[in-house]
Amino acid sequence: MKKPKKKMVKTVNHKVVKIKTGFESKNLVHTKKLKILLISTIVIFVFLIGRIGFIQFVQGNFLKEKAYQQQTINQIISPKRGNIYDSTGKALAIGAQVDTITINPTKIVKDDTLDTQEYKEKVAKGLSEIFELNYDEVFEKVNSTSQVETIIKKVEHEKVEQLKQWMEGNKISVGINIDEDTKRYYPYGTVASNVLGFCGSDNQGLSGIEAKWESILTGTPGKIVSSKGSDQQEIPNAEETYISAENGSDLTLTIDLNIQSIVEKYLKQAVDENNCTRRW
């Protein structure tokens, strides 16, 4: 009897040996890069949205006003201040027509840099001589980068005519402006001056009735609004907006000029005769 053959069983070793190396799956590295890229994109996107929101809602009004200032030219039109009359209709305070001289430094130029410098010196010299001003101060304004510089206020008619003749003789048509203005006059000198008060150089009441009734007398300024380009020059033939000035209202007092003059005359005489030096 034959012996049964023994069945051969092959033993398989299932033990996994892990090789310690610096190698990582390329897919794993690629996934990490995508996550970093995605997170970075989201952060940048959120930042941009926040920045746009900040500019739109927080800085919106400020930037809008800044853009308006950079793109427009405002020329102020001064209103005529109201007159003050006594009870009989005599004018105690009136606004006379005068002019204010301004310049646009950016328009006082020539094609060549050297010619421009000589031209500016010529303009500064002419203005300082006509209005008896300090040359260095005028020259500094002529070289300013501002859109408008004021040379002198409250100029009488004779000086304005002299300026016009000088400009015509030197063939200057742009850069120097003659703007209408008013100046306060008191036809009867110091009569009732303590009651009337007086105005400053800008026609603003500083004391007396001139200051007390400032809102009635002063009126509302007007303006001419025009556009300018990125070079800060006025755009030719651009549409202008004209807003007319509203003149101030007149005031009529209960004072009678004749009686006031007589009272002040004899009051002064009494003070002088009695050597009155005390002030109340």
Side-chain angles (χ1 to χ4, degrees):
M1 190 171 181
K2 293 182 180 180
K3 291 182 180 180
K5 292 183 179 179
K6 290 185 180 180
K7 214 171 189 183
M8 299 289 296
V9 179
K10 189 176 182 181
T11 305
V12 180
N13 190 357
H14 292 285
K15 186 176 181 181
V16 178
V17 179
K18 189 173 181 180
I19 302 174
K20 296 182 178 180
T21 65
F23 175 79
E24 292 185 4
S25 171
K26 292 184 178 180
N27 289 335
L28 183 60
V29 174
H30 186 65
T31 303
K32 288 183 178 179
K33 287 184 177 179
L34 285 176
K35 287 182 178 179
I36 295 173
L37 181 61
L38 180 61
I39 294 173
S40 301
T41 303
I42 293 174
V43 170
I44 294 173
F45 184 75
V46 171
F47 174 78
L48 291 176
I49 293 296
R51 180 61 179 167
I52 292 172
F54 177 77
I55 294 174
Q56 178 70 25
F57 299 108
V58 179
Q59 291 187 312
N61 291 333
F62 170 76
L63 295 175
K64 184 178 179 181
E65 180 64 23
K66 200 74 174 176
Y68 175 80
Q69 293 176 358
Q70 292 177 351
Q71 297 168 3
T72 58
I73 302 173
N74 292 321
Q75 298 179 4
I76 302 301
I77 303 173
S78 300
K80 182 179 180 296
R81 192 176 179 85
N83 298 333
I84 301 177
Y85 299 96
D86 79 337
S87 58
T88 64
K90 293 185 178 68
L92 303 178
I94 59 175
Q97 188 67 46
V98 290
D99 293 289
T100 293
I101 309 302
T102 62
I103 60 171
N104 305 114
T106 56
K107 293 184 179 180
I108 304 177
V109 293
K110 292 289 186 180
D111 295 333
D112 184 79
T113 303
L114 183 60
D115 292 339
T116 295
Q117 187 64 20
E118 293 178 354
Y119 184 46
K120 287 180 178 290
E121 292 175 357
K122 181 179 181 180
V123 170
K125 185 174 183 295
L127 292 174
S128 60
E129 289 179 351
I130 293 173
F131 301 111
E132 300 176 1
L133 302 172
N134 182 276
Y135 170 79
D136 293 332
E137 294 179 358
V138 176
F139 184 67
E140 183 178 351
K141 292 181 178 180
V142 172
N143 279 281
S144 171
T145 56
S146 301
Q147 185 65 31
V148 179
E149 287 282 354
T150 300
I151 298 299
I152 187 171
K153 296 182 177 180
K154 315 299 181 188
V155 181
E156 302 294 342
H157 179 71
E158 292 76 12
K159 289 290 185 181
V160 174
E161 287 300 316
Q162 187 177 347
L163 174 62
K164 289 180 179 179
Q165 292 176 5
W166 179 81
M167 291 174 63
E168 184 178 351
N170 289 275
K171 298 180 180 180
I172 299 175
S173 57
V174 295
I176 301 177
N177 312 306
I178 302 173
D179 304 317
E180 291 185 359
D181 201 351
T182 57
K183 183 178 181 179
R184 206 62 166 167
Y185 282 101
Y186 301 94
Y188 298 96
T190 60
V191 176
S193 60
N194 59 327
V195 176
L196 296 175
F198 63 94
C199 292
S201 60
D202 57 354
N203 276 341
Q204 181 181 9
L206 299 179
S207 67
I209 290 175
E210 295 279 24
K212 180 68 176 179
W213 296 92
E214 171 70 14
S215 59
I216 302 298
L217 293 166
T218 189
T220 304
K223 62 181 178 180
I224 300 175
V225 182
S226 57
S227 301
K228 60 182 177 180
S230 58
D231 58 353
Q232 300 301 303
Q233 299 293 326
E234 186 174 359
I235 299 175
N237 302 320
E239 182 179 353
E240 290 186 343
T241 301
Y242 178 83
I243 302 174
S244 59
E246 296 181 12
N247 295 331
S249 301
D250 298 333
L251 287 179
T252 300
L253 309 181
T254 57
I255 293 175
D256 185 300
L257 178 65
N258 293 329
I259 296 176
Q260 183 73 20
S261 299
I262 293 171
V263 170
E264 289 189 12
K265 175 183 176 182
Y266 286 106
L267 180 61
K268 183 178 183 303
Q269 182 178 331
V271 169
D272 293 340
E273 290 177 353
N274 294 277
N275 296 321
C276 295
T277 57
R278 184 176 179 180
R279 296 182 179 181
W280 298 90

